[in-house]
Amino acid sequence: MDRVRCAICSSENSEPFCSAESPDGNFTVIFNLVKCADCGLVYLNPRPDIKEMSRFYPEEYYKKPSPAGKGIPNAIIAFFIYLRKKRVCKYKTSGKILDLGCGSGGFLVSMQDRNWETFGVETSESGLRLCLEKKLNVRGDMNFPDGYFDVVTLWHSMEHMENPVSALRDIRRVLSGDGILLVSVPNIESMEYRLFKRFWFHLDLPRHVCHFSPATLENLLKKTGFKILKTSHYSMEYNPYGLIQSIMNVFTPEFNFLYKIMKRNQSPGGNFILNAAISLAIMGIFAVPAFCFCYVFSLFKLGGVIHVYAEKTD
Ligand SMILES: [Zn+2]
């Protein structure tokens, strides 16, 4: 484990914020989040080194859903990806688009039509391999010409980055003068975090190394030469499921039980029937109310995500 400074302001001054185990299980380490005393960023400290961190990105992290996760879940994923495309098209309807941290490339596949030239950057070997299998134009570095892109997207990838300042400076360089940056990250000041703390689905330690609030995200964007055009806190893709899975995490013996089955292609340990029964009961009770709660939270800027459109400052 390495001791690190604040990723935004480089300060070493911090105070304890929260401690939690990895949701993956099978690991006995407790991870600590601290809050920067100077800029307020919540970040993982100490942090696993590159070799230790690689254990938390196994092959199945990027794999397609298991047979149990096909059918309806795949249709839901396709719908969420369609919503991402709609978000992009609010500001730009054609051009060159770069998805930074594109995972297995689902979003890039959805953007492939005659209006868009698609590019991706993915640093994990397994994610990159899946993208190349799909014949996507994806690489592991930001070696693109200056001002090359009309749109750059960061769909829940910046919270995984150890150096978001460097990433945003790279983005600023490759984004055209009237280009748009879309950033979506979990909101550490959300009602979901306030209610569930270490049970919060989007805490995801130690993979999420930086935990942004609306203020720290704005500060980071300003520091790297961007200004925010619009902020929202509702995501149908992330908020209701994040809330329901967080409630389940309080009651099921297995952490992220449903997520592991549906998305991660993992065989959860423990008592399958007990975990499934509790999960189904919570789903039955909260599936509809979760959408309403999340919508109300977002009205008060307490939604589970922060989604911003930004452009370069002069
Ligand atoms: Zn700081």
Side-chain angles (χ1 to χ4, degrees):
M1 300 275 267
D2 297 330
R3 290 212 73 81
V4 294
R5 291 163 174 255
C6 171
I8 295 181
C9 74
S10 301
S11 171
E12 285 181 313
N13 302 321
S14 63
E15 56 200 48
F17 186 80
C18 172
S19 296
E21 292 175 3
S22 164
D24 294 359
N26 306 324
F27 303 105
T28 50
V29 184
I30 300 288
F31 295 100
N32 297 311
L33 290 176
V34 299
K35 185 172 187 176
C36 175
D38 292 299
C39 77
L41 178 71
V42 174
Y43 63 99
L44 183 64
N45 194 19
R47 194 167 66 199
D49 62 27
I50 292 174
K51 196 174 163 217
E52 290 168 327
M53 193 65 104
S54 65
R55 296 166 61 210
F56 296 94
Y57 289 93
E59 279 286 313
E60 60 264 29
Y61 187 75
Y62 295 98
K63 272 187 182 168
K64 295 160 201 162
S66 62
K70 283 184 176 169
I72 291 171
N74 268 0
I76 294 170
I77 290 168
F79 175 65
F80 289 151
I81 288 177
Y82 163 75
L83 292 181
R84 290 184 182 190
K85 185 173 184 176
K86 260 186 80 179
R87 282 194 190 259
V88 170
C89 292
K90 274 184 187 171
Y91 278 79
K92 295 272 182 189
T93 52
S94 63
K96 292 191 181 75
I97 184 165
L98 170 68
D99 189 24
L100 184 52
C102 61
S104 56
F107 171 65
L108 289 176
V109 170
S110 79
M111 293 301 291
Q112 284 185 317
D113 62 34
R114 63 200 170 106
N115 293 323
W116 292 99
E117 210 178 325
T118 59
F119 300 81
V121 168
E122 176 54 50
T123 52
S124 78
E125 274 179 35
S126 41
L128 191 56
R129 195 164 50 246
L130 285 168
C131 289
L132 296 177
E133 279 173 17
K134 293 173 185 166
K135 309 223 178 310
L136 292 167
N137 193 352
V138 174
R139 65 211 296 179
D141 60 65
M142 285 286 282
N143 206 0
F144 297 104
D146 293 0
Y148 195 63
F149 294 105
D150 302 288
V151 177
V152 177
T153 54
L154 289 161
W155 299 111
H156 288 261
S157 56
M158 205 163 70
E159 65 271 26
H160 295 259
M161 294 177 184
E162 294 177 0
N163 194 341
V165 170
S166 164
L168 284 168
R169 286 187 173 143
D170 279 341
I171 290 170
R172 192 178 195 287
R173 181 184 65 76
V174 301
L175 194 61
S176 66
D178 64 346
I180 292 290
L181 168 65
L182 281 85
V183 183
S184 195
V185 289
N187 179 7
I188 195 67
E189 289 189 351
S190 64
M191 189 56 86
E192 284 174 35
Y193 173 73
R194 288 166 199 242
L195 289 172
F196 296 102
K197 306 282 191 212
R198 68 190 179 87
F199 296 104
W200 186 37
F201 174 62
H202 294 301
L203 208 55
D204 203 18
L205 299 179
R207 284 179 286 267
H208 290 185
V209 295
C210 291
H211 293 261
F212 299 97
S213 67
T216 55
L217 180 60
E218 185 174 7
N219 180 25
L220 170 63
L221 288 166
K222 203 170 162 187
K223 182 185 171 103
T224 50
F226 291 94
K227 70 175 174 195
I228 292 177
L229 299 171
K230 189 182 172 203
T231 304
S232 63
H233 295 277
Y234 188 73
S235 162
M236 203 181 284
E237 179 179 356
Y238 282 90
N239 297 13
Y241 182 75
L243 179 60
I244 289 171
Q245 184 64 72
S246 302
I247 298 170
M248 289 174 180
N249 286 344
V250 175
F251 295 101
T252 53
E254 178 78 17
F255 209 90
N256 284 356
F257 172 78
L258 185 63
Y259 179 73
K260 284 172 183 169
I261 292 178
M262 305 304 275
K263 179 81 196 297
R264 293 279 300 278
N265 205 8
Q266 288 179 334
S267 306
N271 188 328
F272 184 92
I273 293 177
L274 179 63
N275 281 300
I278 296 171
S279 300
L280 282 172
I282 290 169
M283 183 72 91
I285 297 166
F286 290 102
V288 175
F291 281 86
C292 307
F293 286 134
C294 290
Y295 181 70
V296 173
F297 296 160
S298 69
L299 294 179
F300 295 93
K301 302 185 178 177
L302 295 169
V305 302
I306 315 165
H307 181 83
V308 303
Y309 294 91
E311 65 178 6
K312 297 204 291 192
T313 48
D314 297 331

